[in-house]
Amino acid sequence: MSDTGTHDAQSCIVVIFGASGDLTRRKLAPALYNLARERLLPDRTVLIGYGRTEMTDQQFRSRLHQAVAEFSHTQPLDEAVWDSLAGRVFYQRGAYDEAAGYRGLQRRLRELDGQLGTGGNRIFYMSIPPSVVLPVLHSLRDAGALTRRRRCDEAGQGCLRVVFEKPFGRDLESARRLNAEIDGLLEECQVFRMDHYLGKETVQNISVLRFANSIFEHVWRSESVRYVRVTVAETIGVEDRGGYFDQTGILRDILQNHVLQLLTLVTMEPPASLDADAIRDEKAKVLRCLRRLEGEEVRRSVVRGQYDGGVVDGREVPAYRDEPGVEPDSLTETFVALRTYIDNWRWAGVPIYLCAGKRLAERLTEVAVEFKGVPRVLFGAMEGVELRANRLVLRIQPDEGVSLRFVSKVPGLKMELRNVEMDFPYGSAFPAASPEAYERLLLDVMAGRSALFARRDEVELAWEFATTILEQWEKEPPPDFPNYKPGTWGPISSEAFFAEDTVYDSVVGPHPTA
Ligand SMILES: NC(=O)c1ccc[n+]([C@@H]2O[C@H](COP(=O)([O-])OP(=O)(O)OC[C@H]3O[C@@H](n4cnc5c(N)ncnc54)[C@H](OP(=O)(O)O)[C@@H]3O)[C@@H](O)[C@H]2O)c1
């Protein structure tokens, strides 16, 4: 959710640090191309790639051309659009911590400002590993390219914004340190902490569903809701990211950011306006009230797992510990499921289930809100009828949509009841293809809209929640890894754990309609 206009994106020079990398190829270049194709990219937008890799402007252009042809969600590639964009694509070679590279970059920025009229507007995109972020910021500062600015001048010139990719820190302390460093260099309004889930259409629709429809708000509270569950499940393993993931784990990689961001959107109070800070104030309040799990509570309310090897769909898949880049005795978790609570008036006593995992039975990201059942006076006693409570599921990906489960009479002379789903599939309801998250987010950075980016306090509060669990895990390493088979819904212990609430099947994995 954010303010609506797209026309206020400003012409600027986007400098991508680490432009030879995977993110530029898969996401950033295709996003810029698709914005140009939709005529949403301001005419004079310039892209400069920066990195250590030796490349000419022409080689960089060819590389991006190939990337767009391979990864753009719109196909075939429109060569005329590409050509118009390619003329404004450049590459600057340089080390991340040496002044010479930045002097060259500054020269180029000034030249291009003069030639193409980009008004001194800059976006610095940190598409580099976290260890390189501070050296880049310091070098930019030393080169005079990084200045604190509360706002652009009146003609919309001289904007400077910096985009930070995840991971943003690896625990509360490191996130605080990084934020403090950034705070010393930039105003918060210049800082864009990326969580690409927030750019997804279906995630933006969570707020629309809640606050543009009157029927949900009355039941969106503890009196009516039995539990809220956020699931991010993947069928794939760590693929070629074993080295990175083994240092990270699923709690840091997915739950601390994507899962908690989804939770805040589903549970926050209506914001006073669509202003970025009004929205982020409400999200931060949820995170402040999210019950921290510490000590013994971690053992009771958190399940962690690591996948074993096995056969999925007739294909042999390796155990996590046998993946390239992973330590053979790794204790890194590839699955986490937990139960906590939001201790405020709206959600008091409602279990909040959060789950994320790899090599699970199905690929899905969804939010489920299950409502309390009826007293069952009329139908509950009938033989063979198992009524299930109403449940609203917001499907984020794939198969984006919204479905509501309710009970219906089966046509016929007998009083037979069945659970049915009322489904709203995004894809067929709206024929136009949804833009990719990075398109929306890049455009928002160009317009200075920060509602879809995490604010400093949100990030630190989310780390506060994750860090108490990580600390407890460090004290008590898991005795039983690997502990779940690929292609399942996680460790058996999570089944037993959630069975206490008799909602396991709803908590981890979807459950049958009938
Ligand atoms: N890829 C994704 O889909 C994705 C998704 C979410 C978040 N992210 C985040 O976005 C950032 C960029 O992702 P990426 O996949 O593009 O990363 P990457 O391919 O590993 O690295 C990007 C570039 O950074 C430079 N680099 C790599 N390791 C370095 C090191 N140790 N020291 C100095 N420079 C180094 C390299 O460029 P040169 O050698 O040319 O300097 C490399 O091409 C990362 O922070 C990542 O966590 C990525």
Side-chain angles (χ1 to χ4, degrees):
M1 182 169 77
S2 88
D3 38 346
T4 48
T6 49
H7 57 281
D8 44 358
Q10 291 152 333
S11 290
C12 62
I13 304 181
V14 181
V15 183
I16 301 180
F17 292 93
S20 56
D22 189 58
L23 186 69
T24 304
R25 233 162 49 85
R26 285 174 186 274
K27 298 292 180 190
L28 303 181
L32 288 168
Y33 160 79
N34 278 304
L35 288 174
R37 190 175 167 277
E38 293 295 321
R39 297 178 190 283
L40 293 171
L41 196 68
D43 284 346
R44 285 167 294 168
T45 307
V46 172
L47 171 63
I48 302 182
Y50 185 98
R52 298 167 305 180
T53 303
E54 202 66 72
M55 258 189 288
T56 62
D57 288 342
Q58 198 45 49
Q59 283 166 329
F60 185 51
R61 286 174 195 145
S62 309
R63 196 177 173 122
L64 296 196
H65 180 256
Q66 229 173 25
V68 172
E70 189 176 352
F71 294 111
S72 166
H73 70 98
T74 57
Q75 294 290 349
L77 187 140
D78 184 329
E79 295 291 350
V81 172
W82 171 255
D83 287 345
S84 73
L85 184 63
R88 288 173 281 130
V89 171
F90 305 91
Y91 185 78
Q92 179 72 34
R93 205 206 79 79
Y96 296 108
D97 55 356
E98 283 172 16
Y102 293 85
R103 279 198 297 274
L105 179 63
Q106 272 287 62
R107 243 192 331 272
R108 203 136 206 207
L109 287 167
R110 290 201 194 102
E111 276 165 25
L112 289 167
D113 272 340
Q115 287 164 17
L116 299 171
T118 33
N121 295 330
R122 312 268 184 267
I123 292 173
F124 294 138
Y125 199 117
M126 302 290 150
S127 185
I128 36 181
S131 58
V132 197
V133 168
L134 284 180
V136 170
L137 285 179
H138 292 150
S139 303
L140 283 169
R141 177 201 55 199
D142 296 346
L146 199 70
T147 41
R148 277 185 108 82
R149 284 179 201 163
R150 267 235 54 81
R151 44 181 304 165
C152 310
D153 71 19
E154 280 175 8
Q157 303 212 324
C159 291
L160 191 149
R161 301 180 182 124
V162 184
V163 184
F164 295 90
E165 268 293 341
K166 73 159 204 177
F168 197 86
R170 56 175 285 110
D171 54 19
L172 178 58
E173 204 194 316
S174 57
R176 276 189 181 148
R177 257 189 279 122
L178 182 55
N179 274 328
E181 284 273 358
I182 292 171
D183 197 39
L185 296 166
L186 298 162
E187 293 290 332
E188 179 66 26
C189 65
Q190 296 178 281
V191 179
F192 291 76
R193 297 177 192 81
M194 187 65 97
D195 184 324
H196 72 273
Y197 265 52
L198 294 180
K200 289 179 187 286
E201 285 286 314
T202 38
V203 173
Q204 292 169 55
N205 196 42
I206 293 174
S207 304
V208 175
L209 182 104
R210 287 191 58 199
F211 304 133
N213 296 290
S214 61
I215 60 167
F216 298 113
E217 179 55 19
H218 308 292
V219 291
W220 214 258
R221 55 192 65 249
S222 60
E223 287 80 3
S224 311
V225 172
R226 184 164 163 235
Y227 69 81
V228 176
R229 178 201 72 197
V230 182
T231 309
V232 176
E234 294 174 292
T235 50
I236 55 171
V238 289
E239 310 283 285
D240 54 358
R241 294 174 71 230
Y244 160 78
F245 190 86
D246 207 35
Q247 301 298 314
T248 311
I250 201 98
L251 181 68
R252 288 185 170 99
D253 197 41
I254 303 287
L255 194 132
Q256 182 274 340
N257 38 68
H258 304 325
V259 172
L260 290 185
Q261 283 290 332
L262 288 175
L263 179 68
T264 58
L265 290 172
V266 172
T267 55
M268 71 181 186
E269 295 300 316
S273 72
L274 294 185
D275 178 68
D277 277 332
I279 295 166
R280 298 188 299 180
D281 285 346
E282 297 307 333
K283 289 167 68 195
K285 278 188 214 164
V286 170
L287 292 170
R288 229 167 255 132
C289 296
L290 191 63
R291 194 181 295 176
R292 310 288 182 256
L293 303 172
E294 294 176 60
E296 182 57 26
E297 191 57 44
V298 172
R299 203 174 307 132
R300 275 203 301 273
S301 299
V302 187
V303 175
R304 60 182 147 160
Q306 187 192 79
Y307 61 80
D308 202 351
V311 176
V312 179
D313 295 334
R315 196 172 60 91
E316 191 85 38
V317 294
Y320 174 71
R321 287 175 176 178
D322 295 330
E323 299 273 18
V326 173
E327 292 295 325
D329 54 356
S330 171
L331 297 178
T332 301
E333 82 290 352
T334 60
F335 173 94
V336 61
L338 64 85
R339 177 187 51 229
T340 186
Y341 295 86
I342 298 171
D343 292 321
N344 64 11
W345 275 45
R346 185 185 283 265
W347 297 112
V350 176
I352 304 293
Y353 295 100
L354 307 177
C355 174
K358 290 188 177 292
R359 281 258 196 267
L360 297 184
E362 215 176 309
R363 174 179 173 243
L364 65 87
T365 296
E366 64 175 35
V367 176
V369 178
E370 180 149 321
F371 296 93
K372 290 180 176 165
V374 293
R376 307 209 168 166
V377 176
L378 293 176
F379 305 109
M382 291 184 69
E383 204 183 318
V385 174
E386 195 200 342
L387 298 185
R388 291 188 185 269
N390 296 134
R391 191 176 56 160
L392 187 73
V393 176
L394 314 178
R395 297 192 304 273
I396 309 298
Q397 67 178 23
D399 186 25
E400 294 85 350
V402 179
S403 61
L404 178 66
R405 181 177 64 199
F406 59 96
V407 175
S408 171
K409 180 181 177 307
V410 177
L413 298 177
K414 286 195 285 181
M415 181 54 94
E416 274 188 333
L417 305 175
R418 230 182 64 191
N419 301 292
V420 293
E421 298 272 347
M422 191 157 65
D423 196 43
F424 159 69
Y426 238 78
S428 52
F430 299 110
S434 295
E436 285 273 316
Y438 276 91
E439 292 169 35
R440 171 63 201 245
L441 295 171
L442 277 171
L443 205 58
D444 277 8
V445 179
M446 289 179 197
R449 286 189 295 258
S450 33
L452 299 181
F453 297 84
R455 202 172 55 187
R456 176 179 180 166
D457 52 348
E458 282 181 78
V459 169
E460 290 183 11
L461 287 161
W463 272 122
E464 219 176 281
F465 178 77
T467 301
T468 57
I469 300 170
L470 290 165
E471 283 172 354
Q472 187 61 25
W473 281 356
E474 240 166 60
K475 283 185 210 151
E476 287 183 59
D480 55 348
F481 278 3
N483 62 350
Y484 70 96
K485 285 278 167 207
T488 67
W489 281 108
I492 297 298
S493 62
S494 71
E495 189 164 4
F497 158 62
F498 288 121
E500 278 177 36
D501 293 330
T502 64
V503 289
Y504 172 75
D505 56 350
S506 313
V507 169
V508 184
H511 70 99
T513 311

